[in-house]
Amino acid sequence: MRERRQVQVWERASWPGPDGDAAAGPRKLPGFVVSSFSPLVAEVADRCLRGHYGDPSAAAGQGARTAVVLGSRLGDVVTDRAVAAAVDAGRPVQPLLFFQSVPNSVLGHVTTQWQLHGPVVCFSPEGDPEEAALEYADLLFADDEADRALLVLVELATGQGEHGAATALLVGPGDRAAEGAHP
């Protein structure tokens, strides 16, 4: 087993946030329907990146080597259930559901908005999701595939009318941050 280097967390954001936005749900995201999975991903990614860079134009020069890692134990189960229900009932499946059923579809939205051009990884962790995402980031840094990584962890709620929770972290390799490579 390879020893993980220190990964430096530069920014962190979560949903729901401290201002009690859970009841309202995340902002609507054009092109994504039925489920709050993709809106949650976009919301926490935006909060995290805005917290660090301010606005998308400020990230443009540093996005070329920014990886995006999405982790979710169950994925978008709401969309999966909607597709299954339509198929079971013999109804046509909404075309948007196919698009949004691919977890990295929402990452295309985030990477375009923030001009991030590094590797994209989607995975389903077995253990601690944050620890697994940090391990992925460390591997990307060790292989010189990225200089920073946006880690997004999301789990939908299982109760009716609930949205779930999400966290985003902007991280970099601890050794480079200590050398002054922090943006």
Side-chain angles (χ1 to χ4, degrees):
M1 176 106 188
R2 181 181 81 75
E3 183 178 326
R4 181 165 61 96
R5 299 180 301 169
Q6 182 66 21
V7 174
Q8 180 75 36
V9 177
W10 295 334
E11 192 70 43
R12 178 187 292 266
S14 61
W15 195 94
D19 58 356
D21 52 6
R27 288 176 286 164
K28 299 290 182 201
L29 189 60
F32 294 90
V33 296
V34 178
S35 172
S36 61
F37 184 89
S38 293
L40 281 172
V41 170
E43 180 71 30
V44 295
D46 189 61
R47 287 180 182 189
C48 182
L49 294 169
R50 279 191 192 283
H52 190 76
Y53 294 111
D55 86 19
S57 63
Q62 298 172 32
R65 292 185 41 87
T66 301
V68 181
V69 178
L70 172 63
S72 178
R73 286 190 179 126
L74 298 176
D76 188 353
V77 294
V78 173
T79 296
D80 292 347
R81 288 179 187 149
V83 169
V87 170
D88 289 348
R91 294 187 320 265
V93 177
Q94 289 180 286
L96 285 177
L97 293 184
F98 173 75
F99 166 76
Q100 82 178 32
S101 69
V102 180
N104 65 2
S105 294
V106 69
L107 297 183
H109 169 79
V110 171
T111 59
T112 300
Q113 179 183 5
W114 285 91
Q115 302 174 46
L116 308 177
H117 304 290
V120 173
V121 177
C122 298
F123 75 105
S124 180
E126 287 184 16
D128 177 10
E130 187 170 315
E131 195 57 37
L134 290 167
E135 179 67 26
Y136 265 105
D138 186 55
L139 289 170
L140 291 166
F141 301 149
D143 289 344
D144 197 33
E145 296 291 326
D147 294 330
R148 61 192 49 82
L150 174 66
L151 312 178
V152 181
L153 308 166
V154 61
E155 293 302 332
L156 291 178
T158 55
Q160 187 70 18
E162 297 175 357
H163 298 286
T167 301
L169 299 90
L170 183 64
V171 302
D175 57 348
R176 289 192 212 157
E179 295 169 12
H182 183 286

